[in-house]
Amino acid sequence: MRTAIAKRALLALLCLWGFAAVVWIASDPGAEVSDTEFIAQKTAAAAALVACLAAARMAQRRRWLPDTPEKTIKTKERRIIMIEEIKEIRSYLEKRLDRIEAAMLLGTKEIIGIEEAALLTGYKVKGLYTLTSEKRIPHYKKNGKLYFRKSELEAWLTENKVLTDAKIRSKAVTYVVTGRMK
């Protein structure tokens, strides 16, 4: 921020210097100025004007100033796009924060509602309604609302354990040796 202000202040100073040079060039010679002094002063003023114009070109190249109105419009469009992107990022972060808060609350409660059950299981709410209507998931119903015990949901999620290859081989060896399953 300070750099931008300093650049613009330098540019304003150069513009004033250039304006003073133009005024000096257009002015009439003083009464007590010799021809050589007059030519030297006008040459210095012209050099100041050229330096000012060169500084303005450099400022445009380094994007301290917009070169054309078209670029100004493009800059405004970019700002609008950036504002929209920032709004999208903000809404995404707010949603993530809501999920984090819900997960933190989920850790403290034993009896949870359908929304929290969806968060815990990874199922969609619609899928949980289907499972409860088919009575395939442990649930409770009170005043038309569905409730779940967190421990029962966790047990339901882990009830169909898939054995590892090592465990299957161990059971197979046990069956071959003893003739019965454990």
Side-chain angles (χ1 to χ4, degrees), residues 6-181:
K7 288 176 183 176
R8 288 175 199 243
L10 176 65
L11 207 56
L13 185 65
L14 286 172
C15 288
L16 284 174
W17 186 30
F19 180 74
V22 168
V23 169
W24 179 254
I25 290 171
S27 67
D28 58 292
E32 300 179 313
V33 178
S34 68
D35 288 340
T36 54
E37 286 178 334
F38 176 74
I39 292 171
Q41 288 175 354
K42 297 292 180 177
T43 306
L49 181 60
V50 168
C52 179
L53 292 174
R57 282 195 195 112
M58 181 185 73
Q60 284 179 337
R61 274 191 229 119
R62 293 190 179 180
R63 301 193 192 283
W64 294 354
L65 293 175
D67 330 51
T68 61
E70 295 168 356
K71 287 197 176 181
T72 305
I73 291 170
K74 288 181 181 177
T75 304
K76 287 179 183 175
E77 290 172 356
R78 279 191 214 126
R79 285 182 185 150
I80 291 170
I81 292 170
M82 286 175 59
I83 289 170
E84 292 300 319
E85 289 175 352
I86 289 170
K87 287 180 181 176
E88 288 175 17
I89 291 170
R90 181 180 179 182
S91 68
Y92 171 76
L93 290 175
E94 285 174 350
K95 287 177 186 174
R96 294 283 295 174
L97 183 61
D98 289 344
R99 287 188 60 134
I100 291 170
E101 288 174 349
M104 288 177 65
L105 283 174
L106 187 62
T108 60
K109 295 166 65 175
E110 175 60 28
I111 306 291
I112 57 177
I114 190 87
E115 303 286 330
E116 290 124 345
L119 188 64
L120 178 70
T121 61
Y123 284 86
K124 293 183 179 177
V125 173
K126 185 178 178 180
L128 286 176
Y129 277 122
T130 303
L131 290 171
T132 56
S133 67
E134 295 172 356
K135 296 185 170 76
R136 293 175 44 200
I137 186 170
H139 65 281
Y140 302 89
K141 203 170 198 180
K142 179 89 173 183
N143 296 330
K145 290 188 178 184
L146 290 173
Y147 297 98
F148 303 87
R149 278 193 185 273
K150 197 166 75 170
S151 57
E152 289 176 351
L153 278 179
E154 290 170 347
W156 176 78
L157 285 171
T158 58
E159 69 186 10
N160 294 328
K161 182 177 180 181
V162 177
L163 299 176
T164 62
D165 285 339
K167 191 71 171 173
I168 293 170
R169 284 191 192 106
S170 171
K171 285 191 169 202
V173 169
T174 305
Y175 179 74
V176 169
V177 172
T178 61
R180 42 190 174 121
M181 297 285 285

